[in-house]
């Protein structure tokens, strides 16, 4: 994350911590969500990188992810490999 002018850059997740493929932000709940193609999961953390947790496991090929912040829903795609 960074300030709008590009200053104050701070890493909140690294590729080693989360093999993220796609990201989504829920501004209402201040959460960052990602799908991880290496562990076949969907996870989330607070926007400062704390409180990481896996929400969905056993996926085939997690891809896109999006949030409906007002409705409180998380949507993702999971498709065949290859």
């Amino acid at each position: 994350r960074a300030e709008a002018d590009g200053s104050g850059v701070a890493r909140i997740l690294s590729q080693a911590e989360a093999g993220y493929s796609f990201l989504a932000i829920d501004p209402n709940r201040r959460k960052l969500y990602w799908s991880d193609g290496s562990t076949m999961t969907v996870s989330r953390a607070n926007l400062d990188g704390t409180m990481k947790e896996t929400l969905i496991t056993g996926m085939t090929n997690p891809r896109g992810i999006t949030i409906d912040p007002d409705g409180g829903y998380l949507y993702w795609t999971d498709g065949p490999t290859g």
Side-chain angles (χ1 to χ4, degrees):
R1 71 179 180 193
E3 301 295 328
D5 66 2
S7 66
V9 174
R11 179 177 294 172
I12 56 173
L13 290 174
S14 72
Q15 187 72 23
E17 293 173 298
Y20 46 82
S21 301
F22 296 89
L23 301 172
I25 293 176
D26 181 342
N28 295 351
R29 292 166 186 80
R30 303 195 45 79
K31 298 284 186 180
L32 173 67
Y33 293 80
W34 65 93
S35 60
D36 186 332
S38 64
T39 60
M40 305 304 176
T41 59
V42 170
S43 301
R44 75 176 178 186
N46 292 332
L47 288 180
D48 64 1
T50 61
M51 302 297 293
K52 294 178 190 82
E53 61 182 324
T54 300
L55 302 176
I56 302 162
T57 62
M59 301 178 80
T60 303
N61 188 20
R63 304 296 293 168
I65 188 167
T66 192
I67 296 285
D68 171 6
D70 295 328
Y73 288 97
L74 171 68
Y75 298 91
W76 67 92
T77 59
D78 186 22
T81 58

